[in-house]
Amino acid sequence: MRSSSLISCSAAVLSTSTAVVGLSLHRPSTYHTNSLTSPILRSNTALRLGDLDDLSDYGKSRVNSELDSLISKRDAIKKNVVANTKPDDDTPPIDEMSDDDIAKMLSDEADIDEMFSKDYVPTFATKRGPSRSGLSSGESGGVLDGEEEDDEDRALFVDWTEDYDDENEFHIPNRIGFTTAEWGDKKKGFVAGKLKKKDRKAGKFNKSDLKKAYEKLQQNGVSFVETSESLSFAEAFLNKFFDECEHGDRPLVASTFANPWKHAIKTKSLPRRGSKAVVDAAEACCERMGVSSMSLYQVKNPYFYIGGTSALAEGMLDVISDDHSRYVGCINISTSKLAKLQRQLRAQGEFVATNQFDFSLTNRKSMAMIEACKKMNITPLCTNVLDGGLASGKYTSVNPTGGEVSKGEGDTGPYSVRTLEKLDTLFKVQDSLKEKVNSRIGDKLSKFDSGKAPKINREITTTQIAINYVKAKGAVPLVPVNNVKMANEVLGCLGWELTEEEVLELDKACKTCGV
């Protein structure tokens, strides 16, 4: 009995001698797993010992000898690991460094005088460029076409429109923004999970696409983003993106007080009423997006609001005084109501900053509203600037599908051939202008010394012609952006403008087409 127990014990010791490091003996038989943290020392092997009282003196001697050997091996392995492990930081503590060592360390990092200067900006290991909101078109650029940027060609926030004087106090960098109107909307192509290549070719997008597009725009000069409380997915996404994404400049976010009647139907509640409803809704928007205050809070035209225009005006003033938003604006409010609201807010030392409505190259019905906004010193914000894609010039009578993946036999694209034929003249002008603008930009950039030319898009598209047409009319286009490709289209609009002659040429083409 004792002999077999000894043989079993010795065999176990010998077979596990190279694996067992953390060893603990207990008189009652037990299993012990190694608890050391080093990955090469981890072992789930256990050493089982019988009761030592059952062994002869010789057996006890053999066991003790084997244990001493194991302990010796364990100590050797420990020393070897420590000797070959590089410390996380071999820099001595500051109190052990000499004055010369400290001076050398600082001289390697930065110039001491510069560090204490007012304009000192430390260098961080990040791809985000410094905020440059004051550059004019002759200094530097921020348009990057690729999805990734090199360290030598980092994103650089540039505001090409800072010096414009035909705007109110609410300044929107580069006079362009993007809207979240399609975020989370399955009908527009949003998919909650992963996407395959064929899905993206079909125009579908997911949260990852939205995040990449958002970050790219924010880093490169487009910081104004418009959303609404009726877009619950969008506000939730923005909440995450504000924290997770790198920003070239502080993001400017605008949200919206939804139409009270539609909101009542959607939430199955009583219609909102009075000034307090406006304030409560603005506060709730801030909470959902995780911000203390918004840049702009907009009120949609309610057609009829319980409390009247005066209640809306009072609510808008309270939103500002309670610091839920710095500025307030309107959506689709008529000229007469807009003028009344402006008078009421002006009387209290504030003003209506914006009015939002649809306008595009192929839908110019709101041209009079743009002029009215200018007279009241209100910034016009324009949505649906591509008219659902019709104004992009992508779809033509000879290319009705716009080069997109066919949806099957008989697919003629989103528009009838008759509609596209009617706009042929306009599309031809757009196509000719993209070549003309490319040539004009090339001529200007060629006058710069090597390496000093601003980074401006040199591959103008008909989509960008349509977007900058809205800007040329004095409005701020809000472009729906769901992926990096569309983000690049928006960034390609920066740094150049249509001339008066080019705008006139588009106007004439529109009239010829009956637009």
Side-chain angles (χ1 to χ4, degrees), residues 158-338:
V158 180
D159 183 3
W160 301 87
T161 64
E162 185 177 8
D163 297 329
Y164 277 59
D165 56 5
D166 61 338
E167 63 181 0
N168 53 45
E169 292 179 18
F170 180 44
H171 174 68
I172 299 175
N174 290 305
R175 288 191 166 185
I176 194 169
F178 61 105
T179 175
T180 65
E182 299 178 357
W183 290 17
D185 190 343
K186 293 181 180 179
K187 294 181 180 178
K188 298 296 184 180
F190 177 76
V191 176
K194 294 182 179 180
L195 290 176
K196 296 180 180 179
K197 288 184 178 180
K198 65 177 183 179
D199 295 327
R200 286 199 167 89
K201 287 183 179 179
K204 294 183 179 181
F205 59 96
N206 60 12
K207 181 183 175 182
S208 176
D209 295 315
L210 297 177
K211 182 179 178 179
K212 290 177 182 178
Y214 171 87
E215 188 167 40
K216 191 170 187 68
L217 290 170
Q218 289 289 343
Q219 288 182 346
N220 289 281
V222 182
S223 60
F224 182 55
V225 53
E226 185 264 351
T227 188
S228 171
E229 66 172 340
S230 60
L231 305 172
S232 56
F233 274 106
E235 287 188 330
F237 287 154
L238 286 174
N239 188 325
K240 290 184 174 294
F241 298 167
F242 290 153
D243 293 331
E244 296 174 359
C245 297
E246 297 282 357
H247 294 77
D249 197 51
R250 63 186 182 90
L252 303 179
V253 59
S255 194
T256 306
F257 178 71
N259 183 294
W261 304 102
K262 292 182 179 179
H263 180 269
I265 294 172
K266 184 177 180 180
T267 60
K268 297 180 181 180
S269 60
L270 292 174
R272 288 167 166 173
R273 57 196 180 278
S275 60
K276 189 176 185 302
V278 180
V279 179
D280 290 344
E283 184 178 8
C285 282
C286 290
E287 290 177 356
R288 285 192 296 272
M289 292 188 290
V291 297
S292 59
S293 180
M294 296 172 283
S295 302
L296 176 70
Y297 190 62
Q298 306 170 109
V299 175
K300 273 191 175 182
N301 183 8
Y303 301 106
F304 173 74
Y305 187 70
I306 302 175
T309 306
S310 59
L312 285 176
E314 185 180 346
M316 294 165 80
L317 287 168
D318 288 343
V319 165
I320 296 174
S321 63
D322 291 351
D323 199 28
H324 298 316
S325 179
R326 177 59 192 92
Y327 300 102
V328 290
C330 304
I331 297 179
N332 290 326
I333 287 186
S334 65
T335 304
S336 58
K337 282 187 178 180
L338 193 60

